Amino acid sequence: MNQNNKLREFRIDLLKKEIDMISQKINHFDNLRQKTKQMGIILWTATIGYGLKENIPFMLYISVLLPLPFWLMETSFRRFYKGHQVRLKAIRDFIRDGKYNLKGTEVTLAQFLSEDENSDFPVFDYWGIETIASEKHKKETRFLSSFLNRNLLLIYGPMMVISIALIISKL
């Protein structure tokens, strides 16, 4: 096998390994997000149940703020999840379309697989910092947009509202 074929196979193997690693990271953060939701809901429910059963109003006050740390944890996990997801999409688009605009320079799949030194589609750029334009990357992984995500609002918001409603009903 000549040098050109070895280099081509090496680059292909690197992309395959990166796709596998990013997929594992996405699954890992998705699993963390799911467990965070479960823990938050269980602790919130237990706090309200105990507060109502034992008639301890302080527990209801705690239940208002209890979802907040879980909301923040899930926001952090979501940011990492989105960063990895953007990178995986960039790799898939690169393979599917055969070209990719890499920070102003178009890189083709043919260049990447050749010996051309100007074919630097980043490899092992897990979070996509070198692949995605910085403004787009910041937009996708911004803390506030992750925190105010509709799905998170629909989970943690009602928990806080229900706690407030229970406190008001107990007054």
Side-chain angles (χ1 to χ4, degrees):
M1 191 181 282
N2 67 21
Q3 188 70 8
N4 190 13
N5 286 340
K6 286 181 182 179
L7 180 62
R8 183 177 294 134
E9 284 196 25
F10 179 70
R11 289 181 177 188
I12 291 170
D13 286 343
L14 283 176
L15 271 183
K16 286 179 186 178
K17 288 183 189 322
E18 185 174 1
I19 289 170
D20 289 341
M21 292 176 80
I22 291 174
S23 295
Q24 288 173 4
K25 287 289 189 185
I26 287 172
N27 290 338
H28 172 72
F29 284 112
D30 199 31
N31 188 23
L32 286 175
R33 289 172 48 219
Q34 190 66 28
K35 287 180 180 180
T36 302
K37 278 187 197 94
Q38 291 170 349
M39 285 189 309
I41 291 169
I42 289 168
L43 285 174
W44 176 79
T45 305
T47 303
I48 287 188
Y50 185 72
L52 291 174
K53 181 181 178 215
E54 299 297 326
N55 199 17
I56 305 172
F58 180 70
M59 295 300 282
L60 295 178
Y61 289 112
I62 289 175
S63 72
V64 173
L65 298 176
L66 188 66
L68 193 57
F70 293 98
W71 194 345
L72 291 170
M73 277 192 295
E74 189 170 349
T75 298
S76 296
F77 297 146
R78 181 176 179 70
R79 289 182 63 224
F80 286 112
Y81 173 87
K82 288 294 286 180
H84 287 87
Q85 199 174 39
V86 166
R87 171 62 180 168
L88 187 62
K89 183 182 181 321
I91 294 172
R92 287 182 178 162
D93 290 348
F94 181 59
I95 292 170
R96 184 191 67 221
D97 298 339
K99 60 184 175 185
Y100 190 78
N101 189 351
L102 186 63
K103 296 190 176 188
T105 305
E106 186 173 280
V107 177
T108 65
L109 190 57
Q111 285 174 321
F112 179 76
L113 296 176
S114 73
E115 292 182 23
D116 185 4
E117 292 182 15
N118 295 325
S119 62
D120 291 332
F121 183 80
V123 179
F124 289 118
D125 179 26
Y126 305 121
W127 212 39
I129 293 171
E130 296 297 320
T131 311
I132 316 304
S134 61
E135 286 303 315
K136 182 179 179 185
H137 191 271
K138 285 179 185 176
K139 180 183 175 194
E140 291 289 332
T141 60
R142 190 173 293 138
F143 181 84
L144 188 59
S145 62
S146 292
F147 184 76
L148 297 176
N149 176 271
R150 182 177 48 123
N151 293 333
L152 296 182
L153 282 170
L154 289 174
I155 292 168
Y156 297 107
M159 291 166 67
M160 297 170 104
V161 170
I162 290 169
S163 295
I164 292 169
L166 287 172
I167 290 170
I168 292 171
S169 72
K170 288 292 183 181
L171 294 176

Coordinates of all heavy atoms in Angstrom, one line a residue, residues 52-82:
L52 N -46.4 18.4 53.3 CA -47.8 18.4 53.5 C -48.3 17.4 54.5 O -49.2 17.6 55.4 CB -48.5 18.0 52.1 CG -48.4 19.1 51.1 CD1 -49.0 18.6 49.8 CD2 -49.2 20.4 51.5
K53 N -47.6 16.2 54.6 CA -48.0 15.1 55.5 C -47.7 15.6 56.9 O -48.5 15.4 57.8 CB -47.2 13.9 55.2 CG -47.6 12.7 56.1 CD -46.8 11.5 55.8 CE -47.2 10.4 56.8 NZ -46.1 9.6 57.1
E54 N -46.5 16.1 57.2 CA -46.1 16.5 58.5 C -46.5 17.9 58.9 O -46.2 18.4 60.0 CB -44.6 16.3 58.7 CG -44.1 14.9 58.5 CD -44.7 13.9 59.5 OE1 -44.9 14.3 60.7 OE2 -44.9 12.8 59.1
N55 N -47.2 18.6 57.9 CA -47.6 20.0 58.1 C -46.4 20.9 58.5 O -46.5 21.6 59.5 CB -48.7 20.1 59.1 CG -49.5 21.4 59.0 OD1 -49.4 22.1 57.9 ND2 -50.2 21.8 60.0
I56 N -45.4 20.8 57.6 CA -44.2 21.7 57.8 C -44.1 22.7 56.7 O -43.6 22.3 55.6 CB -42.9 20.8 57.9 CG1 -43.0 19.7 58.9 CG2 -41.7 21.6 58.1 CD1 -41.9 18.7 58.9
P57 N -44.6 23.9 56.9 CA -44.6 24.9 55.8 C -43.2 25.2 55.3 O -43.0 25.5 54.1 CB -45.2 26.1 56.5 CG -45.9 25.7 57.7 CD -45.2 24.4 58.1
F58 N -42.2 25.1 56.1 CA -40.8 25.3 55.7 C -40.4 24.4 54.5 O -39.7 24.8 53.6 CB -39.8 25.2 56.8 CG -38.4 25.5 56.5 CD1 -38.0 26.7 56.2 CD2 -37.5 24.4 56.4 CE1 -36.7 27.0 55.8 CE2 -36.2 24.7 56.0 CZ -35.8 26.0 55.7
M59 N -40.9 23.2 54.5 CA -40.6 22.3 53.4 C -41.2 22.7 52.1 O -40.6 22.5 51.0 CB -41.1 20.8 53.8 CG -40.4 20.2 54.9 SD -38.6 20.0 54.7 CE -38.5 18.6 53.7
L60 N -42.3 23.4 52.2 CA -43.0 23.9 51.0 C -42.1 25.1 50.4 O -42.0 25.2 49.2 CB -44.4 24.3 51.3 CG -45.4 23.2 51.6 CD1 -46.7 23.7 52.0 CD2 -45.4 22.1 50.6
Y61 N -41.6 25.9 51.3 CA -40.7 27.0 50.9 C -39.5 26.4 50.2 O -39.0 27.0 49.2 CB -40.3 27.9 52.1 CG -41.5 28.7 52.6 CD1 -42.0 28.5 53.8 CD2 -42.0 29.7 51.8 CE1 -43.1 29.2 54.3 CE2 -43.1 30.5 52.3 CZ -43.6 30.2 53.5 OH -44.6 31.0 54.0
I62 N -38.9 25.4 50.8 CA -37.8 24.7 50.1 C -38.1 24.2 48.8 O -37.3 24.2 47.8 CB -37.2 23.6 51.1 CG1 -36.5 24.2 52.3 CG2 -36.2 22.7 50.3 CD1 -36.1 23.2 53.3
S63 N -39.3 23.6 48.6 CA -39.7 23.0 47.4 C -39.8 24.0 46.2 O -39.7 23.7 45.1 CB -41.1 22.3 47.5 OG -42.1 23.2 47.7
V64 N -40.0 25.3 46.6 CA -40.0 26.4 45.5 C -38.6 26.5 44.9 O -38.5 26.6 43.7 CB -40.4 27.7 46.1 CG1 -40.3 28.8 45.0 CG2 -41.9 27.7 46.6
L65 N -37.6 26.4 45.7 CA -36.2 26.6 45.2 C -35.5 25.3 44.8 O -34.5 25.4 44.1 CB -35.4 27.4 46.3 CG -35.9 28.8 46.6 CD1 -35.0 29.3 47.7 CD2 -35.8 29.7 45.4
L66 N -36.0 24.2 45.2 CA -35.4 22.9 45.0 C -35.2 22.6 43.5 O -34.1 22.1 43.1 CB -36.2 21.8 45.6 CG -35.5 20.4 45.6 CD1 -34.3 20.5 46.5 CD2 -36.5 19.4 46.1
P67 N -36.1 22.9 42.6 CA -35.9 22.7 41.2 C -34.7 23.5 40.6 O -34.1 23.0 39.6 CB -37.2 23.0 40.5 CG -38.2 23.0 41.5 CD -37.5 23.4 42.8
L68 N -34.4 24.6 41.1 CA -33.4 25.5 40.5 C -32.0 24.8 40.4 O -31.4 24.9 39.3 CB -33.3 26.8 41.4 CG -32.5 27.9 40.7 CD1 -33.1 28.3 39.4 CD2 -32.4 29.1 41.6
P69 N -31.4 24.2 41.4 CA -30.1 23.5 41.1 C -30.1 22.5 40.0 O -29.2 22.3 39.2 CB -29.7 23.0 42.4 CG -30.7 23.2 43.4 CD -31.8 24.0 42.7
F70 N -31.2 21.7 40.0 CA -31.4 20.7 38.9 C -31.5 21.4 37.5 O -31.0 20.9 36.5 CB -32.5 19.8 39.2 CG -32.3 19.0 40.5 CD1 -32.9 19.4 41.7 CD2 -31.5 17.8 40.4 CE1 -32.6 18.6 42.8 CE2 -31.3 17.1 41.6 CZ -31.8 17.5 42.8
W71 N -32.2 22.5 37.5 CA -32.4 23.2 36.3 C -31.0 23.7 35.8 O -30.7 23.6 34.6 CB -33.3 24.4 36.5 CG -33.9 25.1 35.3 CD1 -33.5 25.0 34.1 CD2 -35.0 26.0 35.4 NE1 -34.3 25.8 33.3 CE2 -35.2 26.4 34.0 CE3 -35.9 26.5 36.4 CZ2 -36.2 27.3 33.7 CZ3 -36.9 27.4 36.0 CH2 -37.0 27.8 34.7
L72 N -30.2 24.2 36.7 CA -28.9 24.7 36.3 C -28.0 23.6 35.9 O -27.2 23.7 34.9 CB -28.3 25.5 37.5 CG -28.9 26.8 37.9 CD1 -28.4 27.3 39.2 CD2 -28.8 27.8 36.8
M73 N -28.0 22.4 36.6 CA -27.2 21.3 36.2 C -27.6 20.8 34.8 O -26.8 20.6 33.9 CB -27.4 20.1 37.2 CG -26.5 20.2 38.4 SD -26.5 18.7 39.3 CE -28.1 18.6 39.9
E74 N -28.9 20.7 34.6 CA -29.4 20.2 33.2 C -29.0 21.2 32.2 O -28.7 20.9 31.0 CB -30.9 20.0 33.3 CG -31.3 19.3 32.0 CD -32.7 18.7 32.0 OE1 -33.3 18.7 33.0 OE2 -33.1 18.4 30.9
T75 N -29.0 22.5 32.5 CA -28.6 23.6 31.5 C -27.2 23.3 31.1 O -26.8 23.4 29.9 CB -28.8 25.0 32.1 OG1 -30.2 25.2 32.4 CG2 -28.3 26.0 31.2
S76 N -26.3 23.1 32.1 CA -24.9 22.8 31.8 C -24.7 21.6 30.9 O -24.0 21.6 29.9 CB -24.1 22.7 33.1 OG -24.1 23.8 33.8
F77 N -25.4 20.5 31.3 CA -25.3 19.3 30.5 C -25.8 19.6 29.1 O -25.3 19.0 28.1 CB -26.1 18.2 31.1 CG -25.5 17.8 32.5 CD1 -26.4 17.3 33.5 CD2 -24.2 17.8 32.8 CE1 -25.9 16.9 34.7 CE2 -23.7 17.4 34.0 CZ -24.6 17.0 35.0
R78 N -26.9 20.3 28.9 CA -27.5 20.6 27.6 C -26.5 21.4 26.8 O -26.4 21.2 25.6 CB -28.8 21.4 27.8 CG -29.5 21.7 26.6 CD -30.8 22.4 26.8 NE -31.5 22.7 25.6 CZ -32.0 21.9 24.8 NH1 -32.0 20.6 25.1 NH2 -32.6 22.3 23.7
R79 N -25.8 22.3 27.3 CA -24.8 23.1 26.6 C -23.7 22.2 26.0 O -23.4 22.3 24.8 CB -24.1 24.1 27.5 CG -25.0 25.3 27.8 CD -24.3 26.3 28.7 NE -23.2 26.9 27.9 CZ -22.0 27.1 28.4 NH1 -21.7 26.8 29.6 NH2 -21.1 27.7 27.6
F80 N -23.2 21.3 26.8 CA -22.2 20.3 26.2 C -22.8 19.4 25.2 O -22.2 19.1 24.2 CB -21.6 19.5 27.4 CG -20.6 20.3 28.2 CD1 -20.9 20.6 29.5 CD2 -19.4 20.7 27.7 CE1 -20.1 21.3 30.3 CE2 -18.6 21.5 28.5 CZ -18.9 21.8 29.8
Y81 N -24.0 19.0 25.5 CA -24.8 18.1 24.5 C -24.9 18.8 23.2 O -24.6 18.3 22.1 CB -26.2 17.8 25.1 CG -27.1 17.1 24.2 CD1 -27.1 15.7 24.2 CD2 -28.1 17.8 23.5 CE1 -28.0 15.0 23.4 CE2 -28.9 17.1 22.7 CZ -28.9 15.7 22.6 OH -29.8 15.1 21.8
K82 N -25.3 20.1 23.2 CA -25.5 20.9 22.0 C -24.2 21.1 21.2 O -24.1 21.0 20.0 CB -26.2 22.2 22.3 CG -27.6 22.2 22.6 CD -28.5 21.7 21.5 CE -28.6 22.8 20.5 NZ -29.5 22.4 19.4

